[in-house]
Amino acid sequence: MNIAIRYYTKSGNTKKLADAISEIACIPALPVTEKLPSDTDVLFLCNSVYWGGVDSAVKTFLKNPCAKISCLVNVSTAALVESSYAQMKKLAEKEGITISDKEFHCKGAFAALHKGKPDSSDIEAVKAFAKEIIQGAE
């Protein structure tokens, strides 16, 4: 099974989640500027919501990942919204990519909001989530 991890972050919050998934999957977490080198069975796409939307860098990646993505798994952080899933689902479907109905989301620190998030419990939770996804895909 071919797994990949891509992330976009402005503050470092989302990279923390991507790095935790990387530990479980034993593959590097790379920024969305790195295209996929080959077809991918499971792509963990770690992103966040900035000013109410998914960043244009994530949208650009999904338009041209350079390889087929069989299943996208959404992983997100945000200070104010519950998840980027609805936006990611629309983007993925527009590009003909299947998105898992399972997702991981946690709060991310922004200014005075949610200081220290994602924290160690969020990191452990995303690791457990990644294990579940990987085991279910095998």
Side-chain angles (χ1 to χ4, degrees), residues 13-91:
N13 293 332
T14 306
K15 185 176 186 315
K16 289 178 186 177
L17 300 181
D19 288 343
I21 295 168
S22 175
E23 285 181 38
I24 297 305
C26 301
I27 57 169
L30 301 172
V32 294
T33 53
E34 296 285 331
K35 300 295 183 184
L36 297 172
S38 61
D39 290 353
T40 301
D41 298 311
V42 176
L43 170 65
F44 289 94
L45 185 53
C46 307
N47 61 87
S48 188
V49 177
Y50 301 101
W51 301 106
V54 173
D55 195 87
S56 63
V58 174
K59 294 174 185 177
T60 298
F61 172 79
L62 283 177
K63 285 181 184 175
N64 185 20
C66 289
K68 182 179 182 271
I69 301 166
S70 295
C71 183
L72 184 150
V73 178
N74 191 60
V75 176
S76 67
T77 63
L80 299 175
V81 298
E82 287 304 313
S83 166
S84 66
Y85 185 83
Q87 292 178 48
M88 291 300 298
K89 183 172 179 161
K90 285 181 186 177
L91 293 169

